[in-house]
Amino acid sequence: MRNYQDSYRHKGLRKKLMDILREKGITDETVLAAMNNIPRHFFLDSAFDEIAYEDRAFPISEGQTISQPYTVAYQTQLLQVKPLDKILEIGTGSIYQATVLAEMGAKVFTIERQKALFEKTRTYIFKSTYPNLKFFFGDGYEGLPTFAPFDKVIITAAAPFIPPKLIDQLKAGGKMVIPVDEGEHQRMLRITKNADGSTSEEAFDNFSFVPMLKGKQG
Ligand code: SAH
């Protein structure tokens, strides 16, 4: 059983990380405040306590990664999260990104396609802290029709295309933040669903994610 301890040292490292994110161009202080409140080292193996506060992605189990803090901040900022927003996340992974959204007061529905990673959510340390965070085992390409429509959709894996069912599950005026494949890298896009059901697209920087795969595993 690991020891979940958030020491002054961890808090200090975290504060420094927030300064690094500001220097890299993150301006939304509500995003930084949420990230500053969450002990990112709880989401990695305890051997990597220090590395948790470096601005880098890191392997978790099942060949997956916890996104780089800058990437989490960047996607969250683009999503323009408001308290009580109903948000669908594709790619639960380490649960870090979902926790940031829950800490911001959103109602979060997160889907993971790998059974082993989904099973880990059962022992999520912040389960009682965030009753507004719900876990699902499934294929993100299908979304969660039962819980639709959503104010926001965030995809945390490299999508080969914009999944049409996820656009269907977005409210009018809703937004999706999605890294879309362009060969080796992905272009971060923000899709807005208009009142008439059409969509508008804004393009941002390039990133590198693990692939969004079809179907469930395990
Ligand atoms: N948001 C995560 C990032 C995890 S990496 C975090 O904060 O740690 C991307 C995750 O997406 C992986 O766990 C991968 O298994 C998952 N994934 C890939 N394709 C998927 C799909 N079609 N549906 C649901 N999850 C998917």
Side-chain angles (χ1 to χ4, degrees), residues 64-65 89 91-94 97 112-113 117 139-140 156 212-213:
Q64 299 303 321
T65 55
E89 182 199 26
T92 310
S94 71
Q97 170 72 72
E112 174 57 55
R113 69 178 286 280
L117 289 173
D139 178 2
T156 66
M212 181 171 172
L213 301 172

Side-chain angles (χ1 to χ4, degrees), residues 160-178:
F161 55 85
I162 298 164
K165 288 182 184 168
L166 300 187
I167 296 288
D168 291 346
Q169 292 172 32
L170 205 52
K171 281 185 196 172
K175 289 183 196 296
M176 173 188 293
V177 172
I178 176 169

Side-chain angles (χ1 to χ4, degrees), residues 45-109:
D45 198 273
S46 51
F48 307 116
D49 267 25
E50 301 273 321
I51 288 165
Y53 296 105
E54 288 176 19
D55 187 24
R56 52 183 273 197
F58 207 71
I60 52 171
S61 53
E62 313 307 320
Q64 299 303 321
T65 55
I66 177 170
S67 300
Q68 184 180 344
Y70 175 69
T71 306
V72 172
Y74 194 98
Q75 284 198 282
T76 310
Q77 174 165 292
L78 282 181
L79 208 56
Q80 299 171 327
V81 180
K82 291 195 286 293
L84 302 183
D85 266 355
K86 218 172 128 185
I87 304 182
L88 174 65
E89 182 199 26
I90 311 302
T92 310
S94 71
I95 329 181
Y96 179 71
Q97 170 72 72
T99 304
V100 173
L101 299 171
E103 171 67 20
M104 294 178 81
K107 290 180 267 179
V108 186
F109 300 74

Side-chain angles (χ1 to χ4, degrees), residues 6-22 26 28-43 52-53 69 72-73 76 96 99-101 103-104 126 130:
D6 192 25
S7 68
Y8 283 111
R9 171 155 178 78
H10 292 126
K11 290 188 171 86
L13 289 170
R14 201 144 71 232
K15 212 154 179 279
K16 275 194 202 142
L17 175 58
M18 297 312 122
D19 287 335
I20 290 168
L21 298 180
R22 280 186 194 96
I26 303 298
D28 187 336
E29 288 295 327
T30 65
V31 173
L32 294 166
M35 290 179 69
N36 193 47
N37 281 342
I38 300 165
R40 189 170 187 269
H41 63 287
F42 288 6
F43 296 79
Y53 296 105
V72 172
T76 310
Y96 179 71
T99 304
V100 173
L101 299 171
E103 171 67 20
M104 294 178 81
F126 294 125
Y130 302 112

